[in-house]
Amino acid sequence: MTEPKDSSFAVQRRSGNIDATLYWSLTSGITGPGPAAGQDMLSVPSAESDREAIAAAAAMLRSGGTVAFPTETVYGLGADARNTPAVEAVFAAKGRPSDNPLIVHIARREELEGLVLEVAPVASALMDAFWPGPLTLVLPVRPGVLSPLVTAGLDTVGVRMPDHPVALALLRAAECPVAAPSANRSGRPSPTLAAHVMEDLAGYIGGVLDGGAAGVGLESTVVQVQPDGTVAVLRPGGITAEQLAAVAGTGAVAPAPALALADAAAGYSGGQSPALPPQVSGGGTGGAAAQAAEGSSLAPRAPGMKYTHYAPRGALGIVRGSSPQRVAETAASLLQAAQREGGITGLLLFEEHRALYPADPAACVVSLGSLASPEEAARSLYAALRRFDEAGATYILAEACPVTGLGAAIMNRLMKAAGEAVIDAG
């Protein structure tokens, strides 16, 4: 895929032996409560081999290495957030643009005091409600504590406490704040399995802790509490706007910008080739909207705000319409046209709509499950996008879904993957 043009970091190349990346497969679950009810809960590996693996991974982090590890959202690629060479290695391994800030992961809430200047009352209430969990809060960073690469030179930092026993055990053992973006090559679909990490980063990073499949499947929600106490959603994710409003108050949550499909790219134009939706280009480079964003000089406050992300290698377009029938008819027609022109086609649909398509509408058809169960779609989205790569798909269409609840995060990721390329079926 095309590397980001404005990254200030040379992309590291694989060593001759991909086994240079250590791989630890955890053999048991993580158990435990902590020393007493209501106190800090400790996650303790139940097998000696797992304790040794986590200890080795923690030692690698402390020594300036990079380690991929599971969280409840996706796998993260961690480094000591205070160590600039270690953080630079994360950017280099991913091919990540240097103005894209990183989220810092902590295991104990009291660690915040050493990282940020203050926590607003609303932010504290959100932590009470959703930590540990898939919520990142952008807070005023304490000067001189973290590597400036973590914050991309901003005066804020995103912090979260993951709700995953392996992640918490690793963070506690490492005894340092860990900066961790998703453990994939920049722009690629995020990893929900250790196998996805190895596919993208074996030979680029120090080690991988395999703790099984991620549960949520989409990255954390990123929010920033404004001076007036309102909550700005910078990136939708596993915590929905509705859940945030239940804590912050009705009307106190501002949704992420450009979520509505009406604000996305214009619909399909009959003057374009039917085998290529407007504003779609292959290789995950994104469309006109994404390219315009990449040319912007504004630094994003949170990951996922500026660059095209999550993209399969083939061209991807999102089909919307007034009814599922119109969407299916338009998608089927475009897929057939692409097949006639020699394309390898892919279709991402919801199970309720499968019967609306002709038999074998694409070379690779992947279902995100039922619209009534957006959690299933969230868990399977990134793996689905990677399946199209495995099938060699060059032209992919995806059905839109409602942008309520978790659907907002699903559509956000699809829009980013497609470079905001939307086909209007009418």
Side-chain angles (χ1 to χ4, degrees):
M1 64 172 284
T2 303
E3 302 294 348
K5 296 182 177 62
D6 59 344
S7 174
S8 64
F9 299 102
V11 177
Q12 292 181 342
R13 300 302 173 189
R14 293 181 191 268
S15 64
N17 179 10
I18 64 172
D19 291 335
T21 294
L22 297 179
Y23 175 81
W24 299 285
S25 179
L26 302 183
T27 59
S28 66
I30 305 295
T31 62
Q39 296 183 6
D40 186 28
M41 304 297 282
L42 298 179
S43 298
V44 180
S46 59
E48 178 65 26
S49 60
D50 290 354
R51 292 195 291 271
E52 292 175 354
I54 289 173
M60 184 176 287
L61 288 174
R62 287 194 301 272
S63 66
T66 53
V67 175
F69 60 95
T71 76
E72 81 281 21
T73 58
V74 299
Y75 273 72
L77 176 59
D80 184 342
R82 306 164 302 182
N83 185 329
T84 291
V87 176
E88 182 173 355
V90 169
F91 279 90
K94 285 176 60 68
R96 184 182 177 95
S98 59
D99 67 345
N100 204 359
L102 305 181
I103 291 171
V104 173
H105 295 64
I106 61 174
R108 298 179 178 87
R109 189 154 163 182
E110 53 264 32
E111 295 176 54
L112 274 176
E113 184 176 351
L115 300 177
V116 304
L117 294 174
E118 62 177 344
V119 178
V122 173
S124 182
L126 292 173
M127 292 175 193
D128 290 341
F130 301 116
W131 275 16
L135 179 68
T136 295
L137 290 111
V138 175
L139 302 166
V141 67
R142 188 174 292 279
V145 174
L146 301 175
S147 166
L149 299 181
V150 170
T151 61
L154 299 172
D155 58 359
T156 57
V157 61
V159 185
R160 90 177 187 97
M161 185 187 298
D163 188 16
H164 193 288
V166 173
L168 291 174
L170 175 66
L171 292 169
R172 290 188 173 102
E175 297 182 328
C176 66
V178 173
S182 56
N184 56 289
R185 297 288 285 172
S186 187
R188 295 274 292 133
S190 298
T192 54
L193 296 171
H196 298 159
V197 180
M198 294 296 287
E199 177 185 349
D200 280 9
L201 296 179
Y204 290 84
I205 63 177
V208 178
L209 272 173
D210 185 350
V216 176
L218 296 178
E219 293 84 355
S220 63
T221 301
V222 181
V223 304
Q224 185 172 20
V225 177
Q226 303 303 301
D228 63 359
T230 58
V231 179
V233 179
L234 305 182
R235 181 182 72 184
I239 301 297
T240 68
E242 292 83 356
Q243 289 175 295
L244 295 170
V247 175
T250 303
V253 177
L259 260 183
L261 284 175
D263 295 332
Y268 175 73
S269 168
Q272 303 262 351
S273 165
L276 186 65
Q279 301 187 348
V280 177
S281 58
T285 56
Q291 291 165 6
E294 289 185 16
S296 169
S297 61
L298 297 176
R301 286 271 167 185
M305 292 184 67
K306 183 175 179 182
Y307 297 95
T308 300
H309 292 279
Y310 326 117
R313 295 190 176 95
L316 172 65
I318 302 171
V319 186
R320 65 171 180 183
S322 58
S323 70
Q325 184 69 47
R326 296 292 296 270
V327 168
E329 290 173 353
T330 298
S333 176
L334 291 171
L335 290 166
Q336 289 170 2
Q339 287 175 332
R340 288 195 297 269
E341 295 187 10
I344 301 173
T345 55
L347 174 63
L348 189 63
L349 51 69
F350 290 91
E351 197 59 36
E352 291 93 330
H353 305 155
R354 187 185 290 270
L356 300 176
Y357 291 86
D360 302 321
C364 182
V365 178
V366 181
S367 172
L368 287 178
S370 171
L371 278 169
S373 301
E375 296 82 5
E376 182 181 356
R379 282 193 298 269
S380 59
L381 176 60
Y382 291 142
L385 295 177
R386 287 178 177 265
R387 279 187 60 187
F388 292 126
D389 287 347
E390 293 167 5
T394 58
Y395 179 80
I396 307 158
L397 295 179
E399 294 184 341
C401 72
V403 292
T404 56
L406 198 54
I410 294 168
M411 279 305 300
N412 172 270
R413 302 313 193 270
L414 277 174
M415 293 289 285
K416 283 286 186 179
E420 299 191 355
V422 176
I423 302 161
D424 196 337

